[in-house]
Amino acid sequence: MLKTAWNEWSLKALQLETALLALEEIELPEELHGQQDAAEEKLLDLARAWKQRQPAKEPRRWERQTQEGGVPRDAELKELVSGFQEDGKEWTLLRALSDQQEVVETVVSEGRACMAAGGEYYLGQWDAKEEVLEVGRDDDAGEPGTGLVLSPTAELQYTPDPEL
């Protein structure tokens, strides 16, 4: 994912929400419920304070390209594509170029995708209808994923919890 204020903020917000969910799910003995409730309230306070620091999304203009059987610029993705060629698989290359010289490449094949963005790689299920990568998700293997959803421009798709 690209190093943007929005992505950094969203990632931390997701982590705080996950921590809250985890704290709610812990089944502790009755004598610890008071401490658990106090910890949950402190964590809620922290999540609310973080939500108030929500940055605006940085404006970027993107040029998007879609190439059936396209060759990526990224070396790791090139290797992936050469494996697809050997196996006789079809793929699509999605490339997004920003006005800030950023390049995001995503190779999509058979409902799965690999994205190269900001020096990192993300694997998961490709939702063709929404055009997003659900990181870590694999329907065939029953993997629910990480909860991170990236657009083809490597922007985290996140909507803050209105309850916070």
Side-chain angles (χ1 to χ4, degrees):
M1 120 182 76
L2 298 179
K3 301 290 185 220
T4 66
W6 171 258
N7 281 348
E8 296 291 324
W9 179 88
S10 295
L11 188 57
K12 287 178 176 69
L14 278 166
Q15 290 169 325
L16 286 169
E17 283 185 22
T18 302
L20 272 168
L21 290 171
L23 190 56
E24 290 172 5
E25 294 297 317
I26 298 172
E27 293 183 24
L28 295 174
E30 186 70 34
E31 64 270 12
L32 296 177
H33 283 192
Q35 286 179 300
Q36 183 176 3
D37 291 344
E40 190 173 327
E41 195 53 47
K42 287 286 188 189
L43 195 50
L44 270 169
D45 288 345
L46 180 60
R48 287 182 187 117
W50 186 249
K51 183 178 177 182
Q52 298 208 351
R53 298 180 63 152
Q54 180 178 339
K57 291 184 182 180
E58 297 170 27
R60 284 177 169 72
R61 286 189 312 276
W62 291 93
E63 175 190 332
R64 292 176 60 171
Q65 304 167 352
T66 302
Q67 302 169 359
E68 299 293 327
V71 179
R73 296 176 186 170
D74 180 85
E76 296 288 329
L77 293 183
K78 276 184 186 176
E79 228 177 274
L80 179 67
V81 162
S82 70
F84 288 166
Q85 288 172 325
E86 289 173 13
D87 295 341
K89 289 184 177 180
E90 294 182 7
W91 72 90
T92 301
L93 172 67
L94 307 173
R95 184 179 292 130
L97 307 159
S98 83
D99 57 350
Q100 297 182 20
Q101 309 308 309
E102 298 154 317
V103 178
V104 178
E105 291 185 310
T106 307
V107 174
V108 179
S109 180
E110 299 175 353
R112 305 270 302 138
C114 182
M115 177 184 287
E120 301 289 332
Y121 297 90
Y122 303 92
L123 301 168
Q125 196 81 32
W126 180 256
D127 184 326
K129 181 180 171 191
E130 298 292 324
E131 292 191 331
V132 294
L133 171 62
E134 297 183 37
V135 179
R137 182 173 156 204
D138 185 342
D139 290 348
D140 294 338
E143 293 292 330
T146 63
L148 298 179
V149 178
L150 296 169
S151 73
T153 58
E155 184 174 87
L156 255 168
Q157 302 297 293
Y158 173 72
T159 304
D161 186 340
E163 304 276 320
L164 294 177

